Amino acid sequence: MRIALIGYGKMGHMIEEVAFERGHEVVLRISVDNLEDFTKDNLSKADVAIEFTAPESAYENVTACMDAGIPVVSGSTGWNDQLVAAKEYCEKNGGTFLHASNFSVGVNIFFEVNKLLARLMASQPEYDVTLKEVHHTAKKDAPSGTAVTLAEQILDESMQKRAWVNDIATSKDQLFIQSERIDPAPGTHFVKYTSDIDDIEIIHTAHSRKGFALGAVLAAEYISDKKGIYSMSDVLCLG
Ligand SMILES: NC(=O)c1ccc[n+]([C@@H]2O[C@H](COP(=O)([O-])OP(=O)(O)OC[C@H]3O[C@@H](n4cnc5c(N)ncnc54)[C@H](OP(=O)(O)O)[C@@H]3O)[C@@H](O)[C@H]2O)c1
């Protein structure tokens, strides 16, 4: 597979390493320094694009890939407010798109456990639920995209919680997501149900960025010959 890397920072470099290990070729690397190379002509030399940049640039980047007619995997976080528009753009233009707030296989299994636990806890009002995420200090968005996904999964099931807040909850219907920034910390997520009698907690800890990179390359392999909108649960057959 010929891959275009849109974003050649910490994740872009790691994805390149994993892509080489899996026998792929990287034909384009875009960062802020060479945006002039981010053209339709250059993109069309790739079979698939993998985009890991920043919240401000993600929408423009993924729609540019769709305009160039190549499938695009995006891992940029912090742009959820434009995700629906990106999916609509993809559908309208007959493109291929897969976005995930977290590409690690372990986190995607953790998402399934979180959904199941939220479903079981929905009928146990004596428990209160909170979320916590810990990341490195260079992370630009808070809460993490992964924490937002976990929160949305809980909100879908909960009878008590109506919205998440990234601050101390001021009412019972708010789901508190605590964000902590320390170095070094590739990413830990905690979901905790607390009652007077006991606590139930599930935790996912990333040990390195390699898991995110591998998941992104697996996603690119999966969508490279497909049309439409996909998720990591399609790639990992978790649905
Ligand atoms: N979904 C997941 O599993 C997952 C995992 C880890 C990280 N992430 C997310 O992925 C994103 C990137 O993370 P990172 O750790 O790789 O960050 P990073 O080291 O800061 O790298 C970002 C890269 O994007 C480039 N960039 C910034 N704006 C751009 C634009 N307008 N067009 C093209 N390239 C642009 C930067 O260029 P310069 O170097 O020239 O500034 C840099 O190469 C973040 O949103 C992060 O939260 C997601």
Side-chain angles (χ1 to χ4, degrees), residues 24-42:
H24 303 305
E25 195 187 340
V26 173
V27 293
L28 184 66
R29 297 164 187 83
I30 299 294
S31 66
V32 170
D33 297 338
N34 68 333
L35 285 178
E36 68 281 4
D37 293 336
F38 190 36
T39 62
K40 209 169 182 172
D41 266 2
N42 282 337

Side-chain angles (χ1 to χ4, degrees), residues 102 104-118 130-133 146-147 149-151 153-154 187-193 201-206 236 238:
N102 195 308
S104 106
V105 173
V107 159
N108 282 280
I109 291 168
F110 191 67
F111 285 154
E112 296 302 312
V113 174
N114 182 53
K115 281 196 271 186
L116 175 62
L117 186 56
T130 53
L131 291 175
K132 181 174 156 185
E133 52 101 351
T146 306
T149 302
L150 290 166
Q153 290 176 333
I154 294 169
T188 304
H189 291 87
F190 307 76
V191 180
K192 189 170 184 176
Y193 291 82
E201 188 168 21
I202 54 171
I203 303 172
H204 178 273
T205 307
L236 301 172
L238 297 174

Side-chain angles (χ1 to χ4, degrees), residues 112 222 231-239:
E112 296 302 312
Y222 182 85
S231 70
M232 277 310 276
S233 68
D234 298 316
V235 177
L236 301 172
C237 303
L238 297 174

Side-chain angles (χ1 to χ4, degrees), residues 6-12 30-33 35 52-55 57 61 75-77 100-104 139-141 209 212:
I6 318 305
Y8 195 49
K10 294 182 281 298
M11 282 306 300
I30 299 294
S31 66
V32 170
D33 297 338
L35 285 178
F52 277 71
T53 62
S57 45
N61 290 340
S76 295
T77 57
S101 61
N102 195 308
F103 279 94
S104 106
K139 186 165 177 59
K140 288 180 185 150
D141 53 326
R209 293 170 171 271
F212 307 132

Side-chain angles (χ1 to χ4, degrees), residues 60-236:
E60 300 298 329
N61 290 340
V62 300
T63 52
C65 294
M66 292 167 195
D67 288 341
I70 61 165
V72 56
V73 166
S74 169
S76 295
T77 57
W79 63 293
N80 279 4
D81 52 338
Q82 291 173 295
L83 258 182
V84 171
K87 287 177 183 173
E88 283 170 3
Y89 194 92
C90 178
E91 271 168 355
K92 213 168 76 193
N93 292 281
T96 313
F97 181 46
L98 187 154
H99 177 267
S101 61
N102 195 308
F103 279 94
S104 106
V105 173
V107 159
N108 282 280
I109 291 168
F110 191 67
F111 285 154
E112 296 302 312
V113 174
N114 182 53
K115 281 196 271 186
L116 175 62
L117 186 56
R119 207 167 302 144
L120 294 171
M121 298 309 281
S123 52
Q124 306 297 334
E126 65 279 20
Y127 287 87
D128 193 28
V129 58
T130 53
L131 291 175
K132 181 174 156 185
E133 52 101 351
V134 184
H135 283 87
H136 53 89
T137 54
K139 186 165 177 59
K140 288 180 185 150
D141 53 326
S144 67
T146 306
V148 172
T149 302
L150 290 166
E152 283 170 355
Q153 290 176 333
I154 294 169
L155 293 175
D156 280 348
E157 300 291 342
S158 177
M159 316 289 255
Q160 291 170 302
K161 303 294 183 191
R162 293 284 162 263
W164 61 261
V165 287
N166 197 209
D167 205 343
I168 302 285
T170 52
S171 69
K172 282 284 274 179
D173 64 357
Q174 293 177 330
L175 171 56
F176 175 35
I177 308 178
Q178 182 186 354
S179 299
E180 199 176 298
R181 299 287 173 261
I182 49 169
D183 289 318
T188 304
H189 291 87
F190 307 76
V191 180
K192 189 170 184 176
Y193 291 82
T194 309
S195 79
D196 290 341
I197 294 169
D198 56 12
D199 296 344
I200 302 172
E201 188 168 21
I202 54 171
I203 303 172
H204 178 273
T205 307
H207 297 309
S208 82
R209 293 170 171 271
K210 196 159 183 181
F212 307 132
L214 175 61
V217 175
L218 291 175
E221 290 170 1
Y222 182 85
I223 65 163
S224 65
D225 60 352
K226 295 184 175 60
K227 289 274 176 219
I229 294 162
Y230 297 92
S231 70
M232 277 310 276
S233 68
D234 298 316
V235 177
L236 301 172

